[in-house]
């Protein structure tokens, strides 16, 4: 069906940072494949599975996914695995005019501050490169998307958001159970000060990683690619990448 002209010329790389959330993955992949296919969005789902022993690094995984997503995709969705769109009017089409924040603050069930760009964000590959991707300095949970907002502004881009969506905070299903999946929110040593700085040096240009394996598989009939990713950390530069 994706070869039909009605599906349009663009192809989305859905980049999903992941670690040890298997139950959410089983729900996410078939749901998003059906949702995007119904909207006639050509797409490829990439599960970016961090398999090293460092703390979780969402931003670096997205950088890796961008670099490994291939030339047959021309835009990306930075997409949390625990957030499912419920409203069929949400727009996942090619964001030619600039970054498009699908999970906008007035719709996201948890985060409502005006500079929020996490959850689900669409960018053309050209615009992501213009920002030099995301900072690799954010190990543990949080703050990397706030820094990326500053990168977007610094690149002269304007964040756009959905309009005419009337479902409010019922627009998405949030699968995360904080009692079952505790987030790594610890701030270690200099990390407390560094988390509010803008990284003007790093991003796509210096992400350090190795692909342990690349597997194409089907989840309840929905195709996806799982990248098992070993990130690397310079402990002199970001000693908070470990708990040691």
């Amino acid at each position: 069906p994706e070869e039909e002209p009605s599906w349009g010329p663009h192809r989305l790389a859905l980049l999903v940072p992941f670690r040890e959330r298997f139950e959410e993955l089983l729900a996410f992949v078939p749901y998003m494949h059906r949702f995007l296919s119904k909207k006639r969005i050509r797409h490829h789902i990439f599960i970016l599975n961090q398999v090293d022993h460092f703390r979780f690094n969402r931003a670096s995984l997205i950088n890796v996914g961008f670099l490994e997503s291939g030339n047959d995709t021309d835009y990306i969705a930075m997409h949390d695995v625990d957030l499912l769109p419920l409203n069929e009017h949400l727009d996942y089409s090619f964001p030619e005019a600039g970054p498009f924040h699908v999970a906008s603050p007035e719709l996201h069930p948890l985060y409502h501050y005006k500079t929020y760009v996490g959850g689900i964000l669409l960018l053309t590959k050209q615009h992501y490169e213009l920002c030099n991707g995301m900072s690799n300095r954010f190990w543990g949970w949080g703050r990397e998307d706030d820094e990326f907002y500053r990168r977007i502004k610094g690149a002269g881009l304007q964040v756009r958001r959905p309009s005419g969506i009337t479902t409010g905070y019922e627009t998405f299903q949030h699968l995360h159970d904080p009692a079952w999946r505790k987030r790594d929110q610890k701030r270690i040593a200099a990390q407390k000060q560094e988390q509010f700085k803008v990284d003007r040096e790093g991003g796509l240009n210096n992400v350090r990683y190795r692909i342990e394996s690349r597997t194409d598989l089907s989840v309840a009939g929905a195709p996806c690619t799982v990248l098992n990713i070993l990130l690397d950390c310079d402990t002199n530069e970001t000693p908070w990448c470990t708990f040691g």
Side-chain angles (χ1 to χ4, degrees):
E2 286 193 32
E3 302 308 316
E4 295 179 4
S6 63
W7 286 61
H10 300 289
R11 187 175 176 88
L12 170 66
L14 200 75
L15 306 182
V16 187
F18 181 80
R19 179 183 257 177
E20 298 174 347
R21 299 172 81 164
F22 186 69
E23 298 86 353
E24 294 170 9
L25 183 66
L26 289 179
F28 179 87
V29 172
Y31 184 92
M32 288 307 304
H33 179 63
R34 289 194 302 269
F35 185 88
L36 294 172
S37 296
K38 187 175 181 180
K39 296 175 73 65
R40 295 179 177 260
I41 301 288
R42 301 178 196 269
H43 62 277
H44 193 125
I45 299 173
F46 292 90
I47 306 302
L48 312 173
N49 184 31
Q50 185 177 340
V51 296
D52 54 72
H53 297 293
F54 296 113
R55 299 172 71 191
F56 188 65
N57 191 322
R58 175 177 176 268
S60 288
L61 292 174
I62 292 171
N63 284 339
V64 173
F66 178 90
L67 294 170
E68 297 289 333
S69 59
N71 295 326
D72 62 336
T73 58
D74 56 355
Y75 70 114
I76 67 169
M78 301 154 56
H79 209 301
D80 288 353
V81 71
D82 60 6
L83 200 62
L84 301 181
L86 300 178
N87 191 316
E88 64 181 19
H89 297 295
L90 289 169
D91 188 4
Y92 276 75
S93 61
F94 186 73
E96 186 171 3
F100 186 75
H101 188 210
V102 179
S104 58
E106 68 273 13
L107 302 176
H108 195 284
L110 292 181
Y111 306 115
H112 307 145
Y113 58 96
K114 64 180 181 180
T115 59
Y116 177 66
V117 290
I120 308 167
L121 182 66
L122 308 182
L123 297 97
T124 69
K125 286 195 166 181
Q126 180 182 13
H127 288 156
Y128 194 75
E129 288 181 327
L130 194 61
C131 297
N132 190 23
M134 302 186 79
S135 172
N136 300 301
R137 297 177 63 84
F138 291 84
W139 302 87
W141 183 82
R143 298 293 182 189
E144 78 288 332
D145 49 352
D146 295 331
E147 199 272 351
F148 189 62
Y149 177 81
R150 299 183 187 182
R151 288 178 177 237
I152 291 171
K153 291 296 186 181
L157 300 172
Q158 184 70 36
V159 177
R160 298 179 303 113
R161 292 190 163 110
S163 60
I165 303 295
T166 60
T167 43
Y169 297 148
E170 304 298 321
T171 303
F172 299 95
Q173 180 183 0
H174 194 238
L175 300 176
H176 184 80
D177 182 353
W180 175 247
R181 301 271 186 203
K182 295 189 182 299
R183 287 175 168 143
D184 171 13
Q185 294 178 289
K186 292 183 179 180
R187 298 291 180 254
I188 300 169
Q191 184 181 10
K192 295 177 182 178
Q193 291 74 42
E194 290 284 335
Q195 65 180 345
F196 293 105
K197 294 182 180 179
V198 177
D199 179 6
R200 303 190 186 281
E201 303 295 329
L204 276 176
N205 62 315
N206 71 345
V207 61
R208 296 164 52 177
Y209 72 97
R210 179 166 61 87
I211 301 297
E212 182 181 71
S213 64
R214 182 184 185 109
T215 306
D216 294 324
L217 53 82
S218 174
V219 180
C224 67
T225 297
V226 177
L227 299 178
N228 283 340
I229 300 168
L230 291 156
L231 297 177
D232 193 11
C233 170
D234 183 346
T235 53
N236 293 319
E237 186 69 22
T238 55
W240 52 85
C241 63
T242 70
F243 288 116

